[in-house]
């Protein structure tokens, strides 16, 4: 297991549980997902480390996450579902970066952007979870990391 | 006295989540205004002089730290209480924000963390929120 894997699993699990109130049914596991992902949001980061974090999810999970965040099933549109998935990606990214690059590093995160959920990505770490609302996969790609003192 | 609150975040879901948390917290809320980037937030604050601003960091157009710099540089807005609600965890940046008088709440946050930070910043007694909360119809802490 590389040094990125455990921080990614921790940040993914805690973000889904605390932000979207969706609990993991199984432990976080490394490896690929089942490919049944309709949507993906990617957050690029710059600064003490450069790369991106991507969250892939089914439409059902995306809507469930948004409904829980809003506290109202009836308010959720497709656009808000996409927004929620982007915010999940943003929070996972913001929480995992200090763990892998040190809390002294300063990062700038781009706004989440939609991307191809089925693209073949050579990730440096990958985490799949089964949650109440479906499956989710999170990929972390690090192009550069500043040496920690 | 009801608080005028400005929420600045580029995520519509996060803005709604923060507002919901504020309503459930029992804080005496008055007008609430949502903005999706720092420039919009700055304009809204200059126009309304709110009692509180809740601000994300990473946003398009103008980020939260730049927005706070503009606020502090203007005598008319320098004293507006700011809570940064962000995923930001860099020690250097958090210290910089604290030095500018901002409080910090880390995402994901609990309703209690947000409420307690606001109480500490605004000086509203906790009993006042408890009374307001008891009068509400939905308390889901």
């Amino acid at each position: 297991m590389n040094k990125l894997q455990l921080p990614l699993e921790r940040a993914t699990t805690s973000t889904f549980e605390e932000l979207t109130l969706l609990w993991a049914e199984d432990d976080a596991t490394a490896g690929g997902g089942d490919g049944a992902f309709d949507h993906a949001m990617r957050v690029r980061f710059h600064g003490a480390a450069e790369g991106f974090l991507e969250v892939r999810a089914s439409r059902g999970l995306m809507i469930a996450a948004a409904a829980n965040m809003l506290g109202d099933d009836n308010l959720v549109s497709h656009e808000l579902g996409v927004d929620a998935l982007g915010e999940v990606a943003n929070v996972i990214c913001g929480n995992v970066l200090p763990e892998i690059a040190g809390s002294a590093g300063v990062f700038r995160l781009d706004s989440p952007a939609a991307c191809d959920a089925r693209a073949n990505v050579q990730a440096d770490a990958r985490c799949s979870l089964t949650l109440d609302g479906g499956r989710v996969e999170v990929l972390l790609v690090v192009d550069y990391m500043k040496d920690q003192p | 006295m009801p608080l005028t609150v400005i929420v600045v975040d580029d995520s519509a879901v996060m803005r709604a989540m923060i507002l919901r948390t504020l309503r459930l917290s029992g804080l005496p809320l008055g007008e609430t205004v949502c903005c999706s980037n720092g420039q919009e937030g700055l304009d809204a604050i200059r126009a309304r002089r709110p009692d509180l601003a809740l601000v994300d960091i990473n946003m398009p157009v103008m980020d939260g730290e730049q927005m706070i710099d503009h606020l502090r540089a203007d005598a008319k807005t320098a004293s507006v209480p700011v809570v940064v609600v962000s995923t930001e965890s860099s020690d250097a940046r958090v210290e910089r924000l604290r030095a500018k008088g901002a409080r910090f709440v880390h995402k994901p946050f609990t309703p209690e963390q947000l409420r307690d930070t606001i109480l500490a910043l605004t000086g509203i007694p906790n009993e006042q929120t408890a009374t307001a909360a008891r009068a509400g119809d939905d308390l889901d802490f």
Side-chain angles (χ1 to χ4, degrees):
Chain A
M1 181 180 288
N2 68 46
K3 67 174 185 177
L4 306 177
Q5 188 65 38
L6 203 55
L8 181 65
E9 291 176 3
R10 275 199 299 258
T12 299
T13 304
S14 66
T15 298
F16 272 100
E17 291 185 353
E18 294 170 28
L19 185 66
T20 71
L21 306 178
L22 294 173
W23 268 260
E25 293 178 353
D26 302 311
D27 289 338
T29 53
D34 55 12
F37 302 116
D38 309 311
H39 298 277
M41 295 297 284
R42 182 178 288 185
V43 174
R44 289 196 170 276
F45 50 88
H46 315 272
E50 306 260 347
F52 66 83
L53 182 137
E54 183 176 315
V55 178
R56 297 175 170 183
S58 64
R59 176 178 160 77
L61 185 133
M62 191 175 82
I63 296 298
N68 285 356
M69 291 169 75
L70 293 168
D72 190 337
D73 293 353
N74 299 318
L75 288 177
V76 178
S77 61
H78 176 78
E79 288 71 23
L80 286 176
V82 171
D83 184 296
L85 193 64
E87 187 62 15
V88 166
N90 182 50
V91 173
I92 295 172
C93 190
N95 281 279
V96 80
L97 288 177
E99 283 211 52
I100 63 172
S103 61
V106 177
F107 302 96
R108 181 171 58 81
L109 275 57
D110 289 349
S111 294
C115 60
D116 182 357
R118 293 181 172 85
N120 184 24
V121 174
Q122 289 292 105
D124 295 299
R126 186 184 292 257
C127 169
S128 298
L129 282 184
T130 301
L131 303 156
D132 317 15
R135 280 181 68 75
V136 64
E137 186 175 42
V138 182
L139 295 77
L140 178 63
V141 173
V142 179
D143 298 324
Y144 158 83
M145 195 181 315
K146 189 176 174 181
D147 289 337
Q148 293 182 47
Chain B
M1 196 174 83
L3 300 174
T4 299
V5 179
I6 291 185
V7 178
V8 190
D9 197 303
D10 57 340
S11 163
V13 170
M14 185 51 69
R15 293 194 299 269
M17 191 175 168
I18 289 171
L19 282 180
R20 177 169 173 262
T21 303
L22 291 176
R23 292 195 184 101
L24 293 174
S25 73
L27 287 164
L29 285 185
E31 184 186 20
T32 56
V33 178
C34 287
C35 305
S36 60
N37 64 62
Q39 183 61 60
E40 283 182 16
L42 194 58
D43 294 342
I45 288 170
R46 284 172 173 158
R48 289 177 174 79
R49 309 278 182 83
D51 301 295
L52 178 66
L54 302 169
V55 182
D56 189 16
I57 289 295
N58 291 294
M59 292 182 290
V61 184
M62 179 189 288
D63 71 32
E65 189 167 3
Q66 291 173 311
M67 186 192 128
I68 292 168
D69 287 341
H70 283 288
L71 286 180
R72 298 308 186 225
D74 183 346
K76 293 175 185 165
T77 57
S79 61
V80 171
V82 174
V83 176
V84 172
V85 184
S86 174
T87 60
E88 180 66 51
S89 298
S90 148
D91 291 345
R93 203 168 203 180
V94 170
E95 280 312 307
R96 270 208 315 264
L97 292 165
R98 288 198 173 124
K100 293 169 186 172
R103 299 293 177 108
F104 195 87
V105 173
H106 190 261
K107 291 178 184 173
F109 56 85
T110 65
E112 292 86 351
Q113 286 168 338
L114 187 61
R115 180 194 58 196
D116 292 348
T117 302
I118 291 171
L119 291 179
L121 187 61
T122 59
I124 296 171
N126 198 19
E127 302 76 45
Q128 194 173 329
T129 66
T131 304
R134 277 196 296 275
D137 56 2
D138 182 11
L139 288 176
D140 190 21
F141 274 141

